[in-house]
Amino acid sequence: MRQQRFEHQHTADWTRYRALLEQLEQRRRRGAELAEFPGLHRRLCAHYALAQTRGYTPGLIAELEQLVRRGHAQLHHPRLRLGPRALRLMARDFPRALRRHAAPLWLAAALLFVPMAAMALGAYHDPGLILTLIDAEQLAELEALYDPTRDHPGQVRPADSDLAMFSFYVRNNVGIGFRSFAGGVLFGIGSVVILVFNGLFIGAAAGHLSAIGHGITFWPFVSGHAPFELSAIAICGGAGLLLGKALFAPGRLPRLAALRVNARDALVLVAGAALMLLGAALIEAFWSAGAAPVAVKYAVGAAGWTLLALYIALAGRGDDAS
């Protein structure tokens, strides 16, 4: 086939391909409107191969090669769209995974909250009990942190800006959550130990501070972010237990196969919990140490627990049915 006839025959495809390619590169359109692009790309690749085989002019071959390269980049190197993915995760995938794996998550919650409550009661009646977990120097720092005479109770470094405190809280919270999850690869034992220890430490701190009169600053400070931070830590631990279950009791599957199956949902749980920890850090940095009335802070905390319960129970229900 002569080159002129070849170009005339396929010009319409090339023009349409260029238009769709420009829209992809400029992110102007997505979805069903661009469903024809992969087929056009395959045809253009065939045209490029034919042009080379038939020895058409270098200009035409170079033009087709450039179009093929640009199209390949769009098809095989998709841009990450974190916003829509995060929205889909929190609206559908995460709450569905929470309900689907309720048993290990309830177990993780018990491993965190039961020791926390028991140690809080023990430390309240015996303030020295906290010294079984930390030394005297660390205790002095904890007491100073929530001293009612302090200008910014709860902030590790009062001189720092809220943004710097947000960065600190993110690193601290995510670190605890990740360790709770990663401990699951030790047949779940690591997750159990980390959950129980954190429960004991938080409970000891709460009970001790309440016993010495620092509860008036401690409880208003933690009330706002506690629903999301504590729940996220329990969820990370539950995801770790899900990994441990695959290794300890894989059922009819080989251990590695069971681990791959459980890891998919475990990663969904950890991703959702990470966003919860991010939200908790925002509240802790920009709200918890603020000057709002105590009653308002408690109301915000109660609303947080209520909304979280409703979210877990109701979010993504339409997708459950489908």
Side-chain angles (χ1 to χ4, degrees):
M1 183 185 293
R2 293 179 179 274
Q3 178 174 328
Q4 185 177 4
R5 183 183 172 190
F6 179 79
E7 291 183 26
H8 178 74
Q9 183 175 345
H10 301 299
T11 294
D13 281 346
W14 300 347
T15 301
R16 179 59 176 161
Y17 183 87
R18 285 192 188 92
L20 293 178
L21 183 59
E22 289 176 359
Q23 291 165 5
L24 281 168
E25 290 173 338
Q26 298 174 15
R27 305 186 185 186
R28 291 206 302 261
R29 295 168 70 182
R30 284 289 187 269
E33 294 177 330
L34 299 177
E36 61 181 305
F37 184 78
L40 281 173
H41 180 71
R42 287 192 293 271
R43 290 202 292 274
L44 196 78
C45 289
H47 299 163
Y48 171 55
L50 284 173
Q52 286 183 308
T53 302
R54 294 172 179 173
Y56 291 154
T57 61
L60 176 62
I61 294 174
E63 181 182 359
L64 293 176
E65 180 183 10
Q66 183 185 31
L67 289 173
V68 167
R69 287 181 181 276
R70 289 168 59 193
H72 181 84
Q74 293 300 318
L75 287 173
H76 299 284
H77 299 280
R79 297 180 179 91
L80 291 176
R81 292 177 290 170
L82 296 180
R85 291 184 180 185
L87 182 61
R88 184 177 64 183
L89 170 73
M90 298 307 290
R92 186 190 68 182
D93 299 340
F94 181 52
R96 291 176 67 187
L98 289 173
R99 291 190 292 271
R100 188 161 53 248
H101 300 289
L105 292 171
W106 276 113
L107 176 58
L111 290 170
L112 178 68
F113 288 104
V114 172
M116 185 187 304
M119 181 58 87
L121 289 173
Y124 181 77
H125 292 290
D126 180 10
L129 187 60
I130 194 173
L131 292 173
T132 60
L133 297 175
I134 60 176
D135 58 34
E137 183 178 351
Q138 292 172 318
L139 178 58
E141 292 176 357
L142 178 65
E143 292 176 352
L145 192 62
Y146 294 99
D147 189 334
T149 62
R150 184 185 176 99
D151 291 335
H152 299 277
Q155 288 193 354
V156 178
R157 296 180 296 272
D160 285 351
S161 67
D162 290 341
L163 188 60
M165 294 309 303
F166 169 68
S167 176
F168 171 80
Y169 294 139
V170 168
R171 292 195 303 272
N172 181 68
N173 296 349
V174 171
I176 295 173
F178 179 77
R179 288 192 294 273
S180 300
F181 166 64
V185 299
L186 300 175
F187 293 85
I189 297 174
S191 296
V192 171
V193 171
I194 293 169
L195 286 169
V196 171
F197 176 80
N198 277 282
L200 291 173
F201 177 77
I202 296 170
H208 177 85
L209 292 172
S210 298
I212 65 172
H214 289 11
I216 59 174
T217 53
F218 173 77
W219 292 109
F221 178 83
V222 302
S223 61
H225 61 268
F228 308 101
E229 182 177 329
L230 296 178
S231 299
I233 292 172
I235 291 169
C236 287
L241 294 179
L242 196 59
L243 297 183
K245 178 184 176 183
L247 295 172
F248 186 75
R252 297 182 179 181
L253 294 175
R255 280 189 169 84
L256 288 179
L259 184 62
R260 283 194 295 268
V261 170
N262 283 9
R264 286 195 289 267
D265 273 354
L267 290 176
V268 170
L269 291 171
V270 170
L275 292 177
M276 289 177 63
L277 289 170
L278 182 64
L282 280 168
I283 297 171
E284 191 170 2
F286 296 99
W287 166 262
S288 295
V294 171
V296 174
K297 290 191 173 185
Y298 285 148
V300 168
W305 285 112
T306 302
L307 291 174
L308 185 59
L310 291 173
Y311 168 77
I312 294 173
L314 302 176
R317 279 293 183 184
D319 294 299
D320 280 346
S322 65

